[in-house]
Amino acid sequence: AWTSVDDLKGAKIAVQEGTTGNDVASAIEGAEVSAFKAVAQCGMELMNGRVDCVIVDTNPAQSLVDANPDALMLLPFPASEESETYAIATQKNDEGAALAEEFNAAMATLNENGTFDAIVDKNISKNEDAQLPELPAYESKGTLVMGTNCEFEPFEYLDSQGNPQGFDIDYAKYLCATMGYELEIENMNFDALPAALQTGQVDFLCAGLSVTEERLLQMDFTDNYYESTQAIVVLK
């Protein structure tokens, strides 16, 4: 049984491409890393015996285990000692910086009025009795297009009808309403998100996106709204 990250040397590891988990796995000595579009695909590779483990953010890792409780489990130690913080990304220009400031003000409002806690209660704590407040009424200043990747439950995923659901989806809805914008959601591959932002295909990214030095060169970020670590999923 593995007792530390050192035991992962030379292991076959599945990750979601373009993620921090991909970076963490790639830094493990001798690891054979396979990248996939979706966390669920990583889980299938593990259950089919093609990889030894999956490395992904803690909450999506827990969702993967919850969906396959008889087959999968989390190891009791993280894949990396460093935790990371999620934030919303905007374009690296004056317009993007101004939008990030608007988001920061709305984030402070949702923290103060209890909406943020309610969204955590519903999506992260999975409290079935969680009640989200009514969306604030607003006069529309226009539409903001959000880029995301609906393969990262509980932050963003598609329900049985194919509608985007999850923490980031709810958070963006309340943030945009608080700011006075209508929200349009573009679901795309995770590794396609930075280019979509840079080319203006989307106005912002909200996708369980960790703030990294590399990404700070490409985009602006809001204040942090969530902290996570990289977890290791293995067969039971």
Side-chain angles (χ1 to χ4, degrees):
W2 289 338
T3 55
S4 75
V5 177
D6 286 345
D7 297 334
L8 271 64
K9 286 176 182 173
K12 293 178 180 173
I13 304 172
V15 298
Q16 188 183 23
E17 62 186 30
T19 61
T20 309
N22 194 344
D23 298 339
V24 167
S26 301
I28 294 171
E29 190 181 320
E32 196 179 307
V33 181
S34 304
F36 299 91
K37 300 286 184 199
V39 176
Q41 283 175 284
C42 297
M44 291 302 297
E45 290 295 299
L46 179 56
M47 288 188 284
N48 289 332
R50 289 193 283 269
V51 296
D52 303 313
C53 67
V54 176
I55 292 182
V56 68
D57 296 44
T58 304
N59 292 105
Q62 186 62 56
S63 293
L64 188 61
V65 170
D66 290 346
N68 305 280
D70 297 333
L72 304 179
M73 67 178 203
L74 289 178
L75 288 182
F77 56 89
S80 165
E81 288 306 316
E82 292 176 23
S83 64
E84 60 222 57
T85 49
Y86 296 168
I88 292 169
T90 59
Q91 286 186 317
K92 200 165 185 67
N93 54 28
D94 290 347
E95 202 177 321
L99 184 59
E101 285 307 313
E102 273 193 79
F103 270 119
N104 285 341
M107 289 160 98
T109 299
L110 297 190
N111 281 341
E112 286 160 16
N113 66 19
T115 302
F116 179 85
D117 290 338
I119 296 171
V120 170
D121 202 25
K122 174 191 166 190
N123 291 286
I124 309 293
S125 307
K126 301 283 189 214
N127 177 1
E128 290 175 11
D129 299 325
Q131 293 289 322
L132 295 186
E134 278 189 38
L135 273 179
Y138 63 95
E139 279 188 34
S140 176
K141 296 192 287 192
T143 300
L144 288 178
V145 182
M146 163 176 152
T148 196
N149 169 247
C150 294
E151 300 286 359
F152 204 62
E153 191 173 350
F155 288 94
E156 38 269 317
Y157 59 96
L158 298 177
D159 64 17
S160 54
Q161 278 80 48
N163 299 311
Q165 301 288 341
F167 180 94
D168 284 342
I169 307 298
D170 283 341
Y171 196 34
K173 283 177 185 172
Y174 282 87
L175 285 170
C176 287
T178 301
M179 292 155 62
Y181 294 102
E182 292 168 59
L183 173 64
E184 190 181 307
I185 296 169
E186 286 281 343
N187 178 24
M188 61 185 76
N189 288 333
F190 188 82
D191 61 342
L193 291 172
L197 180 64
Q198 284 170 324
T199 57
Q201 183 186 340
V202 300
D203 297 304
F204 70 97
L205 305 179
C206 189
L209 198 66
S210 304
V211 181
T212 65
E213 286 181 17
E214 185 186 357
R215 287 180 182 147
L216 282 166
L217 299 174
Q218 298 177 299
M219 51 191 88
D220 263 349
F221 281 99
T222 62
D223 293 339
N224 305 327
Y225 65 86
Y226 204 82
E227 197 167 284
S228 180
T229 53
Q230 293 297 314
I232 305 164
V233 183
V234 296
L235 291 173
K236 266 192 168 171

